[in-house]
Amino acid sequence: MPSRTPRDRARERTLDDITRIGRRQLTEVGAAGLSLRGVARELGVVSSAVYRYVASRDELLTLLVVDAYDELGDEVDAAVVAAGPDPYRRFVALGDAVRAWATREPARYALLYGTPVPGYAAPGERTTTPGTRVVLRIVGIVEDAQRTGRLTADDTPLPPALHDDFARIAAEFGTTMTDGTFARCMLVWSSLFGRIGFEVFGQYGAGTFTANDELFAAHVALLAEQAGLRPPGE
């Protein structure tokens, strides 16, 4: 790999500064209020200087989306590896890591999984790979359970109309799962993030549940069961 030049390092530092300021703007004014002029003011430069690094508000949003996906993916990866080889424990660690990041970074979670920003469409060529890291981890955990004889769920037949979509997506993910197993992975993925969104965005209502950690643990256990993951010792 060629060494980075001083200009490369300077550009990287500036992009890091722009990302840091953009994160703060997300917290203070939300995604719809992001402003490159505001970024320039905080950097102490004219707006045209920022446009040399980030061409538009949409480009800034994409920078923040990729940054958030990468940080979430890194934390999930670290938690799953630390949990050891057991698929059930790895899934629980994954759920805990997503929740910990989301509750610590609610504005960035909202950018990824909340209300879409009006007029903005994330470019798939830049966001799909980082955006699928967590679901690929879920698929990998279920595959490991299947390979080691730890997967308990039956392969329930699904309507034939679903097969083509499942086959195409499974091929993109590099898995040979049956339709039924892959469908459970998709259900668990969407259910986990939806459940965390309920907590982050206050959808349960203030004071509805007082033992939130215990409730989340129970929900993750139910999702693991839905995925066909068996607790250690069973």
Side-chain angles (χ1 to χ4, degrees):
M1 177 182 294
S3 60
R4 293 181 302 158
T5 66
R7 177 176 292 181
D8 291 335
R9 291 192 291 271
R11 177 178 177 80
E12 185 175 309
R13 285 195 298 271
T14 301
L15 284 171
D16 286 345
D17 287 339
I18 290 171
T19 301
R20 172 179 50 80
I21 294 168
R23 287 179 180 178
R24 186 161 62 249
Q25 283 194 7
L26 275 179
T27 300
E28 294 173 354
V29 300
L34 284 175
S35 164
L36 288 179
R37 290 182 181 275
V39 171
R41 280 195 300 271
E42 287 204 43
L43 282 175
V45 299
V46 296
S47 298
S48 59
V50 173
Y51 283 108
R52 289 201 296 269
Y53 297 92
V54 181
S56 64
R57 183 211 66 158
D58 282 6
E59 176 68 18
L60 177 59
L61 279 167
T62 298
L63 190 71
L64 294 172
V65 166
V66 172
D67 173 67
Y69 275 138
D70 280 340
E71 186 174 283
L72 173 60
D74 287 346
E75 294 193 12
V76 166
D77 285 349
V80 169
V81 170
D86 181 76
Y88 184 93
R89 287 181 174 145
R90 291 169 71 200
F91 179 76
V92 171
L94 180 149
D96 288 343
V98 175
R99 181 185 182 227
W101 186 85
T103 53
R104 190 181 75 240
E105 302 284 353
R108 296 165 78 197
Y109 191 83
L111 176 64
L112 300 182
Y113 303 107
T115 303
V117 181
Y120 172 72
E125 68 276 8
R126 294 181 59 186
T127 59
T128 298
T129 296
T132 54
R133 286 177 62 181
V134 175
V135 66
L136 283 170
R137 271 289 185 182
I138 293 173
V139 169
I141 288 169
V142 173
E143 282 184 320
D144 286 346
Q146 189 171 42
R147 185 166 49 249
T148 58
R150 302 278 301 165
L151 195 67
T152 63
D154 295 331
D155 187 30
T156 305
L158 296 176
L162 298 175
H163 175 72
D164 288 347
D165 283 344
F166 281 164
R168 172 178 48 81
I169 299 169
E172 291 172 0
F173 283 4
T175 180
T176 57
M177 284 181 176
T178 61
D179 288 355
T181 302
F182 192 68
R184 282 194 298 277
C185 288
M186 298 299 98
L187 175 62
V188 166
W189 172 44
S190 57
S191 298
L192 175 65
F193 278 84
R195 186 264 176 246
I196 290 172
F198 255 60
E199 182 174 354
V200 170
F201 305 135
Q203 295 299 312
Y204 285 123
T208 300
F209 297 109
T210 57
N212 287 316
D213 291 345
E214 292 81 358
L215 178 66
F216 183 74
H219 284 166
V220 169
L222 290 169
L223 289 175
E225 180 182 354
Q226 180 65 55
L229 300 175
R230 184 167 54 205
E234 291 188 7

